[in-house]
Amino acid sequence: MMLPEPRRRPGPRPALTVLLAAPRGFCAGVDRAIRIVEEALKRHGAPVYVRHEIVHNRFVVEGLAAQGAVFVEELDEIPDDGRPVVFSAHGVPRSVPDEAMRRRMFTLDATCPLVTKVHREAERHHARGRHILLIGHAGHPEVVGTMGQLPPGAATLVQDAEEARTVAPPAGLPLAWTSQTTLSVDDTAEVVAILAARFPGIAGPAKEDICYATSNRQAAVKGIVARGAEVVIVVGAPNSSNSVRLAEVARRAGARDAVLVQRGAELDPEALAGCATLGLTAGASAPESLVREVLDRLRESFEVTVEDVVVAEERIAFRLPPALAAE
């Protein structure tokens, strides 16, 4: 896709301070998932099949497709030709690897290890006879994957505080809660508090389920708003849960507006007229190149000064599956 040529305003451009949130962009789980597809293509050539978008960013998906990745929604779209099949970072129901094994497919699991942790946690609660209240968004692939680790009826979805106040789990069973990894930290804390008040003794995870990257990126957004960001731009896809949550967090933290864009060409600088201090971040599945596009777009209309706002440093890295480990 060709980007439009930069358009410079005639005359002096207004000054704009951009507070650049850190951490932002790719997390360790996203980086690992993309590397799995790239390494599979390098070792085995094209095509490499990927069930669902490997991460929720169409530019990442299009880039991998250009290298030979073929994205499908279900295994029945994949021929029995022995080619590698990658499961996305969001995780899959247990039925998917079971079907792949039945068909003797060569599979590579790109599920984020922190999502896998939630799967194992849900299984342990179920094994102990607990009914699980899963905090998450209906239809999100991660929620579908987590609920798919359990027998039908073993978990009940709780999407928000309102549902937490009214949910009616099966009577007579001990309860446990777990959550999607990409939720709002504050919203989840509210839901958990309601569940704990309604169901004393409900078990929770030994360590919170919302992943470090989600927590850090939300804290960074609060940091740039606290530093005076009037508007926050979030680079990310509309189907990316963690990106949408960042925009919500910005508004709740006090920004007068938050704008979700997928790349620089989508940004209308005219909509920022009168804004002197802008916040900029990116969801965990958005590459840094798209952040740079947004900065370039802003420079077409403003005299931009960039200031980094760092709230945490991330040094976590996840290993590739054994089948792709360095030989």
Side-chain angles (χ1 to χ4, degrees):
M1 176 178 176
M2 295 294 293
L3 293 175
E5 289 293 321
R7 293 178 287 111
R8 298 284 186 183
R9 282 181 175 178
R13 288 169 288 159
L16 179 67
T17 298
V18 176
L19 302 179
L20 193 57
R24 63 181 178 276
F26 279 0
C27 63
V30 165
D31 180 69
R32 173 180 180 269
I34 294 169
R35 286 191 295 126
I36 286 172
V37 179
E38 291 176 336
E39 187 65 21
L41 286 164
K42 177 182 174 182
R43 294 197 182 197
H44 303 285
V48 168
Y49 296 99
V50 185
R51 184 188 180 277
H52 192 65
E53 291 184 343
I54 187 67
V55 297
H56 282 159
N57 187 284
R58 72 182 178 91
F59 303 104
V60 170
V61 169
E62 288 171 359
L64 293 173
Q67 298 176 53
V70 176
F71 291 87
V72 301
E73 285 303 309
E74 299 297 343
L75 296 185
D76 60 14
E77 302 173 53
I78 302 174
D80 289 321
D81 57 4
R83 302 300 305 166
V85 179
V86 181
F87 301 149
S88 81
H90 312 97
V92 296
R94 185 180 292 276
S95 59
V96 174
D98 287 350
E99 172 65 10
M101 184 177 296
R102 186 190 67 79
R103 291 177 57 185
R104 298 183 180 179
M105 289 178 158
F106 170 33
T107 61
L108 297 165
D109 189 359
T111 301
C112 173
L114 299 179
V115 173
T116 300
K117 177 185 80 71
V118 175
H119 290 180
R120 302 293 85 83
E121 191 173 79
E123 290 172 341
R124 285 193 296 271
H125 286 310
H126 177 68
R128 292 169 183 167
R130 295 168 178 152
H131 184 80
I132 296 158
L133 300 180
L134 173 59
I135 306 168
H137 297 132
H140 189 277
E142 185 183 329
V143 167
V144 173
T146 299
M147 296 191 83
Q149 306 303 308
L150 307 168
T156 299
L157 184 64
V158 179
Q159 298 191 77
D160 52 31
E162 182 179 353
E163 290 190 5
R165 294 186 185 98
T166 59
V167 65
L173 291 179
L175 300 175
W177 69 268
T178 188
S179 79
Q180 185 179 331
T181 63
T182 55
L183 301 178
S184 160
V185 173
D186 296 335
D187 286 352
T188 304
E190 181 184 11
V191 171
V192 170
I194 293 169
L195 294 177
R198 288 191 63 204
F199 308 109
I202 187 171
K207 187 177 181 181
E208 66 175 306
D209 287 338
I210 295 176
C211 82
Y212 76 93
T214 297
S215 298
N216 286 347
R217 280 149 189 73
Q218 291 179 20
V221 164
K222 292 177 182 178
I224 59 177
V225 174
R227 286 275 297 273
E230 305 159 60
V231 176
V232 173
I233 296 174
V234 179
V235 182
N239 64 334
S240 165
S241 175
N242 71 84
S243 298
V244 173
R245 300 291 84 73
L246 289 176
E248 293 175 354
V249 167
R251 295 186 191 101
R252 292 178 185 177
R256 64 177 169 85
D257 198 9
V259 181
L260 182 67
V261 299
Q262 297 192 74
R263 68 185 314 169
E266 293 184 2
L267 181 64
D268 178 12
E270 300 295 332
L272 301 174
C275 178
T277 304
L278 179 78
L280 178 58
T281 189
S285 51
E288 183 66 10
S289 60
L290 299 182
V291 175
R292 299 299 165 191
E293 278 190 15
V294 169
L295 285 171
D296 289 343
R297 182 71 164 175
L298 291 169
R299 290 187 177 106
E300 296 171 12
S301 301
F302 299 94
E303 198 64 46
V304 172
T305 300
V306 177
E307 297 180 9
D308 292 309
V309 178
V310 181
V311 302
E313 293 186 8
E314 295 177 349
R315 297 186 176 90
I316 293 175
F318 296 132
R319 295 177 180 177
L320 297 180
L324 293 179
E327 295 175 350

